[in-house]
Amino acid sequence: MRNINIKNVSIGDDFPVCIVFECGPTHSGLSSAKRLVDIACDSGVKCIKFQMLCANKLVSDKKQLFKYSILKNKTTGETQEVDEPLYDILSRRQLNKEEWTELANYINLKNMIFICTVLHLEDISFLKEIGCDSLKIASADIDYVPILEAAARSGLNVQIDTGSSSLEEILFAVKVLESNGCKSLIIHHCPTGYPARLESINIKMIKTLKDIFPKYPIAFSDHTPDADMDIAAITQGVNLVEKTITENRMTKSVEHIFSLENDQINNFVKRIKDLEIALGSYERKFSKEQVEKTKLIRRSAHTVRPIMKGEIIDNKKICFMRPGTGFSSPTWIKMNKSSDFFANKDLPEGHILKEDDLTTTP
């Protein structure tokens, strides 16, 4: 069974979909990060995610360009393509260790789960020390064996983004994690693109991942606006959805364009919860209220004329009408195959036949 616990949050097939709000790409420093924590906490969501990195240690070519879209006009939806050095983009996400410690303490005070993408080996022990609850491996590091091994050995929950990875690469990463002692793992289906193109989302891949990895929760990391793709993913059985939030979608930086703003977040959470209620169960279950309402529209055996005590009750003396609070048609047919029935008291026309109206002796 694909059920796990991260602190006080249970994730898996037996539990509601876990919502994670991603703030790593959209904060602009410690104060901004804390405001995003507040926004997420106020929505009732228990899990929040950031990204710990050092641009100097990650990018060798400081002029390497990265292309993404920004929102120019919220009303018209006008967008603009932007080319910017990847180094500059990543530098905006950096916090120093003192700031990370303060942010982790702030998240803990809010009683939230702290998830963090880790990109450098030496940061794993630090994140564990300050109270990180779950380490995430970026899709770009799906084949970076040292960080997979170190994350597995940390004893923390590990999440992996699969991005544009092949199935062989995903299987390889999971094998590395398992062989190094990882007991708690979440596998993300993560479409590529900022925002993701419809052709790249491939929601059906979720079922493939569920079939291949029956032990582990499957998640969906969304790179599209609004909730449509998250809803589609949940109908395919994901156990967790990760959605980026921002203070302003028009911020001129990557990922803001498809993020949720404060006034959208509560509606997003409500839509997810409403969907889960509507999805219901694989079993055909009805509440007591539903059963009683159903009886009102079903048919049951009624007398078509007065019947005297001791008189045989055959099919010519009954009809099937609403409500269905007496003998249903299948029940009456089965009863008549086994025995004849007689009225044990005078019955008026239009009477709904019940068990205490009948006897098997004249």
Side-chain angles (χ1 to χ4, degrees), residues 17 75 139 148 194 229 257 269 273 303 311 315 335 338 360:
V17 172
T75 303
S139 58
L148 291 170
Y194 299 92
M229 296 303 112
I257 187 172
V269 174
K273 291 182 177 179
T303 58
E311 188 178 346
N315 288 332
M335 288 169 58
S338 61
T360 54

Side-chain angles (χ1 to χ4, degrees), residues 53 71 82 84-85 90 97 129 145 169 181 196 201 224 236 252 258 262 269 276 285 301 308 318 352 355-356 360:
L53 58 86
L71 182 63
V82 174
E84 184 182 9
L90 297 178
K97 287 194 172 183
E129 179 185 325
V145 174
E169 289 173 320
I201 296 173
T224 64
Q236 295 299 303
K252 294 180 179 178
F258 56 76
N262 194 9
V269 174
E276 287 197 280
K285 292 182 177 179
M308 303 300 292
I318 65 165
I352 301 173
E355 189 171 346
D356 61 0
T360 54

Side-chain angles (χ1 to χ4, degrees), residues 12-146:
D13 289 345
D14 292 337
F15 305 101
V17 172
C18 177
I19 301 174
V20 176
F21 281 146
E22 162 75 293
C23 309
T26 51
H27 73 83
S28 56
L30 180 59
S31 295
S32 170
K34 284 184 173 181
R35 289 194 298 271
L36 288 170
V37 172
D38 290 340
I39 290 170
C41 186
D42 289 345
S43 74
V45 165
K46 292 293 186 182
C47 301
I48 193 156
K49 180 180 170 296
F50 286 90
Q51 302 173 5
M52 187 176 187
L53 58 86
C54 174
N56 278 325
K57 292 190 289 185
L58 192 62
V59 181
S60 61
D61 181 2
K62 293 181 173 56
K63 295 182 180 179
Q64 176 189 343
L65 294 178
F66 185 86
K67 180 177 286 189
Y68 61 91
S69 298
I70 62 171
L71 182 63
K72 294 288 289 181
N73 188 305
K74 288 183 183 179
T75 303
T76 65
E78 179 188 358
T79 63
Q80 178 184 337
E81 292 293 308
V82 174
D83 286 313
E84 184 182 9
L86 180 61
Y87 179 85
D88 294 348
I89 294 170
L90 297 178
S91 294
R92 290 196 288 271
R93 305 179 185 183
Q94 295 182 166
L95 298 174
N96 61 42
K97 287 194 172 183
E98 290 75 19
E99 290 172 323
W100 274 116
T101 301
E102 185 174 340
L103 179 60
N105 288 337
Y106 194 72
I107 293 169
N108 185 57
L109 284 172
K110 297 284 186 177
N111 196 31
M112 298 185 77
I113 300 296
F114 177 23
I115 304 166
C116 193
T117 295
V118 60
L119 293 110
H120 310 293
L121 295 173
E122 61 272 22
D123 291 337
I124 291 178
S125 59
F126 172 73
L127 282 168
K128 188 173 180 179
E129 179 185 325
I130 65 174
C132 179
D133 302 298
S134 174
L135 300 174
K136 193 173 186 190
I137 307 300
S139 58
D141 286 336
I142 194 79
D143 63 349
Y144 183 34
V145 174

